[in-house]
Amino acid sequence: MAKPNLALVGATGAVGTVMIDIINNRENIWGEIRLIASARSAGKKLVVHGQELTVVELTAEAFDGIDIAMFDVPDEVSVIWAPIAAARGAVAVDNSGAFRMDPEVPLVVPEVNPEQAQNRPKGIISNPNCTTLTMMAALGALHRGWTLTELVVSSYQAVSGAGVSGITRLREEIEALAGTSAGESSEDVLKTLESKGLSLDASPFAAPVAMNLIPFAGSLKEGGFSSEEMKVRDESRKILGIPELKVAVTCVRVPVLISHSLTVHATFANPLTVADVHKALEEEPTVSLLDDPANGLWPTPTLVAGLDPTFVGRVRQSLDFPNSIEMFVVGDNLRKGAALNTYEIAELVASEF
């Protein structure tokens, strides 16, 4: 059988860089691998599976001969170029939010709904938001066994969710505040940052993120909700196939470079115990259970950064809510939350060749 040809659009971006690392560390199932980016990045040299490849400019012709094209680019780029790739014969696997809620575009998590990868009338498959993905492998396993009915989530999102600019900003703020007494009184963190040339006008965040929390992530939507909160609600319903799932979400930006963390309160139609949850999650190959609070064993963002699995700890049976479980879930938002799941979808499609 001929190996399918793969394209990576956005090869030089933050997620694209992680994607290349994932490609290099997994079995090479591809024929040609083509790296695509904007005109300003075209010509750069990157090594994939030991071969030096030259990044080519994003054009319609760049998709000629490509079977699967992975997109790690902003919404406004994907909405134009993913249909062009599909029209030229490639299956477009898109990591942006451009097509996630399109009823003719499947939203796929391979551990949860792999069959949907074949249901692609537009030739496009969408990858979920990184916050949704952080908990989805674990929730999918529990939903199969006990039927999820209600979901309450609070997220603690790393600054890398805002891209390279988010990482840069946090590092700059940490450096500016180091050795000062800022943080002991109202607004002294902001004043210290401004005195060192770090005004909020140049920040991707609406408030200082170092030594702080920002109770908002994304853009403002109707009713005071953020776009991140609406994504978690709508995408969870679509992935799990529960259109009437009751969901409440609050998204918080925290001073962490990489890895999103979530507190999850999940209610099910059928009774379940902590032992049931442990057994179900231990059987999931992409979930790692770290749940021994007596010995200080639970997942944290710095422990998880750079790793592929979804990590789960602090599993508790709710004291006051029947058929409900509390747990703490952490995942690298640049890997499983973005690049890895996109790549795993591409692997699903490649198995068809």
Side-chain angles (χ1 to χ4, degrees):
M1 295 177 63
K3 292 183 176 181
N5 295 328
L6 177 72
L8 171 57
V9 185
T12 59
V15 176
T17 301
V18 174
M19 181 72 76
I20 291 175
D21 179 64
I22 290 169
I23 293 172
N24 283 333
N25 285 283
R26 293 170 84 95
E27 180 186 357
N28 188 2
I29 62 172
W30 309 106
E32 178 189 355
I33 297 177
R34 192 176 301 169
L35 306 180
I36 303 173
S38 64
R40 68 177 179 274
S41 296
K44 288 186 177 180
K45 307 286 187 180
L46 299 171
V47 177
V48 182
H49 283 302
Q51 182 180 1
E52 187 177 73
L53 302 179
T54 301
V55 177
V56 302
E57 183 179 351
L58 177 58
T59 64
E61 292 72 24
F63 298 104
D64 289 346
I66 294 297
D67 299 299
I68 301 168
M70 300 186 299
F71 284 78
D72 288 310
V73 294
D75 293 14
E76 60 270 20
V77 179
S78 283
V79 76
I80 294 171
W81 289 99
I84 290 173
R88 296 184 87 92
V91 176
V93 183
D94 181 40
N95 186 41
S96 83
F99 302 99
R100 287 177 186 149
M101 299 315 298
D102 186 325
E104 294 187 287
V105 174
L107 188 62
V108 173
V109 180
E111 300 96 323
V112 180
N113 60 343
E115 72 287 347
Q116 289 299 315
Q118 298 182 2
N119 178 27
R120 47 178 193 262
K122 291 186 175 180
I124 301 171
I125 302 171
S126 200
N127 189 60
N129 172 263
C130 54
T131 313
T132 309
L133 269 172
T134 299
M135 63 180 174
M136 200 45 61
L139 280 182
L142 299 180
H143 175 56
R144 284 194 297 273
W146 293 274
T147 308
L148 183 66
T149 59
E150 298 179 13
L151 184 61
V152 180
V153 178
S154 291
S155 72
Y156 310 95
Q157 298 182 211
V159 295
S160 53
V164 174
S165 63
I167 294 176
T168 300
R169 179 68 187 197
L170 177 57
R171 290 193 185 280
E172 290 174 342
E173 290 188 5
I174 290 172
E175 183 178 356
L177 295 171
T180 75
S181 60
E184 297 178 358
S185 62
S186 175
E187 295 193 352
D188 63 353
V189 168
L190 177 58
K191 292 174 182 177
T192 301
L193 294 176
E194 289 178 339
S195 72
K196 297 191 177 185
L198 293 176
S199 70
L200 287 182
D201 292 341
S203 174
F205 308 113
V209 66
M211 301 178 67
N212 203 19
L213 300 174
I214 303 173
F216 193 87
S219 57
L220 185 62
K221 299 298 180 182
E222 186 177 354
F225 293 97
S226 76
S227 57
E228 287 284 306
E229 292 158 353
M230 296 307 298
K231 287 173 186 176
V232 172
R233 175 181 182 266
D234 297 339
E235 293 175 18
S236 296
R237 289 175 161 190
K238 184 173 180 178
I239 295 163
L240 295 168
I242 317 173
E244 301 303 320
L245 180 66
K246 295 180 180 179
V247 184
V249 190
T250 299
C251 291
V252 181
R253 189 74 69 186
V254 297
V256 169
L257 287 177
I258 295 172
S259 300
H260 288 352
S261 305
L262 285 72
T263 56
V264 177
H265 170 98
T267 299
F268 299 86
N270 301 294
L272 75 169
T273 65
V274 170
D276 291 331
V277 174
H278 280 186
K279 183 175 185 299
L281 297 184
E282 285 169 347
E283 292 173 354
E284 284 295 310
T286 64
V287 174
S288 180
L289 186 67
L290 296 177
D291 194 20
D292 185 4
N295 291 298
L297 184 62
W298 44 63
T300 65
T302 55
L303 177 68
V304 166
L307 302 179
D308 288 344
T310 296
F311 290 78
V312 180
R314 299 295 321 280
V315 179
R316 292 146 288 152
Q317 194 166 19
S318 295
L319 297 176
D320 301 315
F321 300 89
N323 303 349
S324 298
I325 288 291
E326 324 281 356
M327 58 185 180
F328 190 67
V329 186
V330 188
D332 184 322
N333 57 299
L334 299 180
R335 294 187 76 86
K336 182 57 180 178
L340 179 59
N341 199 75
T342 302
Y343 188 76
E344 288 172 337
I345 295 171
E347 287 180 323
L348 274 180
V349 179
S351 67
E352 301 173 15
F353 286 79

